[in-house]
Amino acid sequence: MKPKGHCTLTIEGKSFELPIYEGTEGPDVIDITRLYRETGYFTFDPGYLSTASCHSTITFIDGDKGRLEYRGYPIEQLAEKSDYLETCYLLLEGELPNQSQKDEFIEGITHHTLIHEQMAKSYNGLQRDSHPMAVVVTMVAALSAFYHDSTDINDEAQRLLASRRLIAKMPTIAAAAYKYSIGQPFVYPDNGLDYASNFLHMCFSLPTEDYQVNETLSKALDRIFILHADHEQNASTSTVRLAGSSEANPFACISSGVTSLWGPAHGGANEACLNMLKEIGTVDRVPEFIKRARDKDDPFRLMGFGHRVYKNYDPRARIMQKTCHEVLETLDIKDEPILKVALELERIALQDDYFIERKLYPNVDYYSGITQNALGFPSSMFTVLFAIARTVGWIAQWKEMIEDPLQRIARPRQLYLGHNTRDFIPMEER
Ligand code: CMC
């Protein structure tokens, strides 16, 4: 990387030159890597509000304009014209595949959909009422105990194998977590089905009955996967990069991403959002909840609203809203009360000064819960679906980091506000 120029930082009368780098799009960055060595100062940026933690060529977001692109392709075009596995290839390889590359990639993924039988048995060691995300975190980490031949991160072939195994096995792990929670037998993957249809099959079919995957619903799920596939340096992706920077096992790194995703401020918002809409219940109660969201003394927030990066309508939310209507129409669910609540809440919030001033718009999680609920998933599975989709993003970002010559172990510094040195106090004197 060549700097496009320099800026000057003056500390206590001394000036320091800092290089400025220009991205293809988005804000330029000031390079502070030598700041501590040259000035003795750290920068202070809790929550990384102004910090680019890496350089990347995978995903671009323009939060003010509401743009999201994977490798330069707008999310709207991918959601309409691509499919999830093709999008995975794009994220991992940087370009759209030609037909034979696509066929080879799909074959490579499909070949790995089974999980080790011993691993399937290890679900029994977990309580049946565990949250499915707890089960998925555990089982993704458990992959590192089963697939020893794909854990050498310095071997490109092993990295590829680990990537394909993760993408292929996530739906199997997730569906088994669901089946385990409801006491039904695990369903083996059917490699004759596409990625989303196979997941629906593993979740909803039974050995006792015939199950036909509805094509429209499977397409809707595939689109949900595309929308969630990557989102540049969010909390879970940064977690994966941070864990991977110590050259840790890839499966363990991805498991750390699943853990971070679980939180209600991140991927857990879809579950929290549906619970909120159910709690509101009827359209006439919407103003009461808007009032609560505005109240500084009330910790309540509108779930599915607001975003660190989008200060405009989240482009994924628009596509999700359309998908939601399509799913409800296909299933002939008319007058869904929760959808009415959601539409009214959105209408009022978008006209409300509090939300306008803070640029709070619906995010992807706002309509995804209603859609996934209609597809037949309980709310505890929503974040699991997000994790399946995001696995490819985590892997693409992890791979980019491992292959980056600038990569070093991530080691943030701190502003220490604790005690100065003091002598140990013996128990009898405390
Ligand atoms: N409801 C009410 N007020 C809100 C909300 C909300 N959902 N989100 C932000 N605010 C207010 C916040 O109180 C603050 O007000 P003030 O300036 O008066 O103190 C202001 O808006 C800025 O909020 P912030 O917490 O500083 O913003 P952030 O960038 O740190 O947080 C967020 C982003 C997504 C965590 C937050 O908007 C939030 O908690 N939203 C609800 C949870 C949610 O939907 N999360 C899913 C994110 S999208 C999926 C994903 O990519 O993971």
Side-chain angles (χ1 to χ4, degrees), residues 200-214:
L200 289 171
H201 155 76
M202 287 189 287
C203 285
F204 300 125
S205 70
L206 285 166
T208 47
E209 290 166 16
D210 196 29
Y211 174 80
Q212 289 300 323
V213 179
N214 178 309

Side-chain angles (χ1 to χ4, degrees), residues 265-266 269 296 301-302 304-308 354 358 363 365:
H266 191 5
K296 283 265 149 256
R301 281 187 167 198
L302 278 195
F305 254 80
H307 199 276
R308 168 64 60 79
Y354 175 94
R358 288 167 183 75
N363 60 50
D365 291 320

Side-chain angles (χ1 to χ4, degrees), residues 49-251:
L49 268 79
S50 304
T51 298
S53 59
C54 62
H55 62 92
S56 179
T57 60
I58 302 172
T59 292
F60 175 71
I61 303 173
D62 181 335
D64 291 328
K65 297 206 177 106
R67 277 171 63 203
L68 167 63
E69 293 172 4
Y70 300 158
R71 303 285 190 183
Y73 293 102
I75 192 67
E76 294 81 1
Q77 292 184 26
L78 291 168
E80 198 192 319
K81 298 178 180 159
S82 187
D83 57 65
Y84 179 67
L85 283 184
E86 183 175 72
T87 302
C88 288
Y89 183 98
L90 172 69
L91 285 166
L92 291 166
E93 303 296 334
E95 295 297 336
L96 287 168
N98 62 29
Q99 192 60 53
S100 71
Q101 288 167 328
K102 185 171 174 177
D103 294 345
E104 188 277 330
F105 182 72
I106 292 175
E107 174 65 28
I109 298 291
T110 308
H111 178 70
H112 289 292
T113 51
L114 273 179
I115 54 171
H116 197 291
E117 276 299 297
Q118 193 67 31
M119 192 172 148
K121 288 194 183 106
S122 56
Y123 281 74
N124 290 324
L126 301 172
Q127 293 222 154
R128 217 168 262 285
D129 60 356
S130 310
H131 193 287
M133 278 299 274
V135 178
V136 173
V137 168
T138 310
M139 290 303 156
V140 175
L143 288 170
S144 53
F146 285 94
Y147 298 98
H148 300 144
D149 60 343
S150 50
T151 57
D152 179 357
I153 61 140
N154 296 311
D155 178 343
E156 200 185 332
Q158 292 204 28
R159 290 203 297 272
L160 182 75
L161 188 55
S163 309
R164 292 192 169 183
R165 279 183 169 146
L166 275 158
I167 296 168
K169 293 182 200 304
M170 275 301 274
T172 315
I173 289 173
Y178 173 58
K179 287 294 197 187
Y180 187 67
S181 72
I182 55 172
Q184 289 185 3
F186 294 173
V187 175
Y188 282 115
D190 178 346
N191 287 350
L193 295 172
D194 64 75
Y195 196 82
S197 301
N198 185 34
F199 180 59
L200 289 171
H201 155 76
M202 287 189 287
C203 285
F204 300 125
S205 70
L206 285 166
T208 47
E209 290 166 16
D210 196 29
Y211 174 80
Q212 289 300 323
V213 179
N214 178 309
E215 208 182 311
T216 311
L217 301 186
S218 148
K219 278 221 164 73
L221 183 61
D222 194 77
R223 198 174 311 138
I224 291 173
F225 287 160
I226 294 175
L227 295 184
H228 289 85
D230 193 45
H231 214 225
E232 52 117 311
Q233 311 312 319
N234 53 82
S236 57
T237 302
S238 300
T239 304
V240 171
R241 279 186 178 256
L242 199 99
S245 76
S246 72
E247 304 185 7
N249 175 302
F251 303 111

